[in-house]
Amino acid sequence: MVSLRLMRAGELCFIPHSISISQSSVLGIPSRARRAHFAVSNNFPRFRVFSRIRGREAAVKDGERVDDVPVPLVRVPDLENSGQEPSSLVGEVGFDWKWPPWKNLAQRYKLIGTTSLAFVICNMDKVNLSIAIIPMSHQFGWNASVAGLVQSSFFWGYALSQLPGGWLSKMFGGRKVLEIGVLAWSLATAFVPVLAGYMPGLLLSRVLVGIGEGVSPSAATDLIARTVPLEERSRAVSFVFGGLSVGSVTGLLLAPPLIQNSGWESVFYLFGFLGLAWYLGFQLIKDEDEEPSVASVSFPRSQATYMDKSGDSSLEELGSTLKDVPWKSFFSNRALWAMVYAHFCGSWGHYTCLSWLPTYFSEELNLNLTEAAWVSILPPLASVFVTSLASQFADNLIINGVETTKVRKICQSIAFLAPAFCMTLSSVDLGLQPWEVVGILSSGLALSSFALSGLYCTHQDMSPEYASILLGITNTFGAVPGIVGVALTGYLLDSTHSWSISLFAPSIFFYLTGTVVWLLFASSKPQNFSKKDG
């Protein structure tokens, strides 16, 4: 047996000289004595084993044995600072202790992971107002209509930035657009407390938050289309956009204690700081030497061609490239219009519930602020688990040969019909207990996460090259419910005092009609839009 003792840098590393090693050594060389040192490089520690054979080669022949000799002790810094290996050391084997653990991950996994983290922060900054709006309304004397106006202002910027975000992502790459978006919305979030007493300033700050977050889905879609193959796409999309559910859970968990202990202003300061920290950390990821992120996987020819294109464009090229986008082909494609309507319908239910469920739980179920926030966590928390199951379900179907369009239709139908059924049960007077209503709503909204393996994968399926622009188009229409639906819910609530009419009934209608349109017209078949316009 060989015993090794590794010391700290500057200490002595040695091997006892009484060693019994066969001539068939680690290096395949009849070596005599072995010596180890622990070298600390700039990035990670490295362990090396050297074979000392110079001066002994002539004495070692097949079947011949040489007496053991003591091995001199060598200081680690002497080896590291010499610039060359000692003359008596000519063979080397070793292994690297990699740190950080994700250092050897393929580039696409690093990008997917950091993008998902950005989406966590994204929804933290989106849901913080849905909790803070309650004490803010009390402080500033807002009724439900004004509160709805404040919450809907986010979606003004969100809708306006969708198409520009998709186009910029195609021109410059999703990575660049994403980091700028995170920086913009984080700064705007941090300024909300400063401007809260001045309504135009408050609305403007939320518009800027919406603009920053509005470019992010298209940026993420472009990043996935460039780096992830079809057989991994459902999982990649679900992992990235699933960060929204994690962000909702995190935001709803942190907001109530922060508000109670430090005031409602604290949630905006803290969440804005987290976005700035992400931005700085993402610069470190970008500065690493990039490896071919998808060298071991194959892509369709059209996607491989798009991946090879540079994301950099000069300002002089922007005008011509905007004209080169096949807008006519986009808007004459009925499958795209099916995606547009499906995105609108899904967003109506999602955004109205995201904005108003905490208030619904507080006023209708008579829960206090903390209890309402905790209960509001259940739908996005359940969505985290449903998302992973749905993505595995979809990818396995595709791997087993099921047509991609059929897979997307199955997943999106579940995403629409499940919440419609659960909202119907909640809106009808069945004498249900509050916890039963919470459970039913949470289940339905969680199952709506099947859309991440349905609608949200279809843009990349149809055209990896134009995926970010396609998502920009559908998300523009998908942002309209945030503007109209959130404000309309507040208006209807003031007028009817009925949560069933103001919150649930419109969502049920759009879920059902969206299912019909999706099943009739949706398609995931690749589209050569450029050729059509040519």
Side-chain angles (χ1 to χ4, degrees), residues 327-350:
W327 301 106
K328 182 179 179 181
S329 292
F330 290 160
F331 291 105
S332 62
N333 187 292
R334 69 178 186 177
L336 175 62
W337 282 108
M339 288 197 297
V340 165
Y341 189 66
H343 210 142
F344 177 92
C345 295
S347 294
W348 188 286
H350 175 72

Side-chain angles (χ1 to χ4, degrees), residues 296-319:
S296 60
V297 292
S298 57
F299 290 84
R301 181 180 299 271
S302 61
Q303 185 170 351
T305 301
Y306 176 58
M307 289 167 55
D308 291 338
K309 293 181 180 180
S310 171
D312 297 324
S313 299
S314 63
L315 294 176
E316 292 77 8
E317 294 175 316
L318 295 184

Side-chain angles (χ1 to χ4, degrees), residues 286-403:
K286 286 185 62 179
D287 289 340
E288 292 182 356
D289 292 334
E290 293 189 20
E291 304 173 6
S293 59
V294 288
S296 60
V297 292
S298 57
F299 290 84
R301 181 180 299 271
S302 61
Q303 185 170 351
T305 301
Y306 176 58
M307 289 167 55
D308 291 338
K309 293 181 180 180
S310 171
D312 297 324
S313 299
S314 63
L315 294 176
E316 292 77 8
E317 294 175 316
L318 295 184
S320 60
T321 53
L322 183 60
K323 294 179 182 178
D324 291 339
V325 175
W327 301 106
K328 182 179 179 181
S329 292
F330 290 160
F331 291 105
S332 62
N333 187 292
R334 69 178 186 177
L336 175 62
W337 282 108
M339 288 197 297
V340 165
Y341 189 66
H343 210 142
F344 177 92
C345 295
S347 294
W348 188 286
H350 175 72
Y351 290 144
T352 54
C353 287
L354 183 69
S355 299
W356 286 105
L357 271 185
T359 306
Y360 167 78
F361 291 140
S362 176
E363 296 184 359
E364 185 71 7
L365 303 185
N366 297 318
L367 303 178
N368 61 36
L369 178 64
T370 301
E371 291 171 338
W374 275 92
V375 171
S376 300
I377 291 170
L378 296 179
L381 183 61
S383 296
V384 174
F385 297 100
V386 172
T387 295
S388 61
L389 295 176
S391 61
Q392 293 286 347
F393 170 74
D395 280 345
N396 287 337
L397 288 179
I398 292 175
I399 292 173
N400 290 325
V402 180
E403 185 184 6

